[in-house]
Every structure is written in C-alpha cells, then in structure tokens.
Amino acid sequence: NKAVYLPNAFTPNNDNINDLYGVSAIGLRPDGFSLKIFDRWGKLVFKGNRPDDWWNGTLFNEGEPAPMGVYTAVLTYVDYGDQTFVEQTEVVLYR
C-alpha cells in the first residue's frame, strides 16, 4: 500500500513552522522519485530526486527567495508494485 500527501501551502519565513515544502509518503521506492516545482510561468524553481528532498522556498534551495504566490508541484513516483504515478497540485508560498 502507498499513501502520498502533497501539501497545498507553506510559509518559508524562518520561524521553524512549516518552512519547508515536500512530500509525505509511505510505500514509495526511493528510486523513480521526482518532485518538480514550477512558478506561474512554467519555470522550474526546484527539483528533488529523493523523498527527503524538500524545497526551502529559494531558487533551487540556494538562490534568491522565491516570491510569494502560487506554484505548481509535479510529483512522479514508482510504488513497490512497479507502477508509475504522476500527481500535480498548486502550492501557495506565503511569507
């Protein structure tokens, strides 16, 4: 069995509450995992290749802070039954 949760908002304002965006999941293989975050114009701002790669609200986790707004998260993953899934959601970044 698998369970995947993609949040729809986070607040990367360094208050140690909800500062990172990532996937909460069980039942996923660590290989075959990809989390991509795109801005409203379709520009890639973050890519994670492991379930424990979380976005900190900066460009590729090392650049300038991304502006507040709505982003798109696209998650691709493989479960232990070798099935591939793609899930997409909107994410609100609020500082």
Side-chain angles (χ1 to χ4, degrees):
N1 286 347
K2 66 176 177 57
V4 177
Y5 174 67
L6 280 169
N8 60 5
F10 78 123
T11 57
N13 56 9
N14 296 317
D15 66 356
N16 294 320
I17 301 170
N18 205 26
D19 282 337
L20 300 174
Y21 182 86
V23 176
S24 297
I26 58 171
L28 307 186
R29 291 188 357 207
D31 59 329
F33 179 95
S34 170
L35 174 63
K36 295 179 182 176
I37 310 287
F38 299 91
D39 68 13
R40 71 172 78 192
W41 298 279
K43 179 182 173 189
L44 185 67
V45 297
F46 173 79
K47 181 176 181 190
N49 295 315
R50 299 184 323 255
D52 60 350
D53 288 340
W54 290 54
W55 184 35
N56 68 9
T58 64
L59 300 179
F60 297 101
N61 278 1
E62 59 188 30
E64 302 229 356
M68 285 195 317
V70 178
Y71 293 79
T72 300
V74 179
L75 171 65
T76 305
Y77 61 92
V78 178
D79 69 7
Y80 283 99
D82 288 329
Q83 288 186 287
T84 300
F85 298 87
V86 177
E87 297 190 26
Q88 179 174 317
T89 191
E90 290 186 341
V91 178
V92 176
L93 185 159
Y94 185 78
R95 294 191 191 280

